[in-house]
Amino acid sequence: MMEIQRIKSAFDEILSEWQQPRLQTLQRDPNIVKMTEDLVLKVEAQRDPERWPVTDYTDDFKEYHPDDHYQWMWLFFHAPFYSAELADVLCFLRCNGSILVRDQIYGYRIQPVIGGHGWKTQQEYDDVKAPLTGYMNEVLALLKNLRLAEQQGNVIPAKAYRQGRLGER
């Protein structure tokens, strides 16, 4: 995967040249002009909700662990923007028995439930989560952003709150 600093540097150079042309080498090269136009069109197209990933991820483990249902749904919504495979693996982890546990450093961490309605063995969990090693930066970003979104009140919908009396559960 390309280093973010290299990408940023190239985009900064392109923007600078387009805003205030000095050498005009970027504007004269038809390949660079075409690639820039294609990139702009692609980014603009991605802003259109009609083009967003159409995937339906469900929380099949909610029945056994409802406490983190909305957090998983938040992950299922955001993960496909990184990768369909990443979203699929997260869904497999949850539906087979994983929970989200708050973490001071990472925001959240994914923890398997071994036994009962969860995974049969740790090895079974490890085998299914193996593809996530290629998405570690994305997973860490998702888990941190989930915690931030939760702190800002953007994870649990207001309709899920129930009015009650002090001391009542």
Side-chain angles (χ1 to χ4, degrees):
M1 189 155 186
M2 194 177 289
E3 180 186 341
I4 191 79
Q5 201 54 40
R6 273 184 70 199
I7 296 169
K8 185 179 180 326
S9 173
F11 282 134
D12 287 345
E13 186 175 338
I14 291 167
L15 287 174
S16 175
E17 245 338 274
W18 280 90
Q19 289 170 343
Q20 294 192 337
R22 292 180 303 239
L23 304 174
Q24 295 186 343
T25 54
L26 294 178
Q27 286 95 334
R28 283 191 213 145
D29 184 333
N31 290 329
I32 291 178
V33 171
K34 173 84 170 97
M35 285 188 289
T36 303
E37 288 172 352
D38 289 348
L39 180 61
V40 168
L41 290 173
K42 187 128 178 115
V43 169
E44 288 174 344
Q46 290 302 317
R47 292 181 186 147
D48 180 6
E50 295 295 321
R51 297 184 55 106
W52 288 359
V54 182
T55 49
D56 188 22
Y57 294 101
T58 58
D59 183 1
D60 295 338
F61 201 64
K62 175 186 174 187
E63 176 183 348
Y64 306 110
H65 199 275
D67 295 348
D68 57 357
H69 166 70
Y70 291 111
Q71 288 80 2
W72 280 102
M73 295 310 295
W74 187 96
L75 286 176
F76 295 160
F77 176 80
H78 289 87
F81 293 102
Y82 289 96
S83 156
E85 181 184 34
L86 168 61
D88 290 348
V89 173
L90 289 174
C91 189
F92 297 148
L93 291 177
R94 174 60 172 180
C95 73
N96 285 300
S98 296
I99 60 174
L100 291 169
V101 177
R102 286 191 180 145
D103 186 276
Q104 289 294 99
I105 297 170
Y106 302 110
Y108 275 97
R109 62 183 164 78
I110 301 170
Q111 178 177 304
V113 174
I114 309 295
H117 295 286
W119 298 91
K120 291 182 179 110
T121 65
Q122 179 71 39
Q123 185 61 49
E124 182 183 48
Y125 168 79
D126 290 341
D127 291 345
V128 172
K129 82 165 184 167
L132 289 184
T133 56
Y135 297 102
M136 202 47 60
N137 291 334
E138 292 85 351
V139 170
L140 293 176
L142 278 167
L143 294 174
K144 278 188 178 183
N145 289 334
L146 167 60
R147 186 69 178 123
L148 290 172
E150 185 179 63
Q151 290 169 342
Q152 296 166 353
N154 296 325
V155 175
I156 300 175
K159 68 180 181 184
Y161 293 109
R162 186 177 70 83
Q163 184 75 28
R165 297 181 185 183
L166 289 176
E168 181 181 60
R169 287 189 175 212

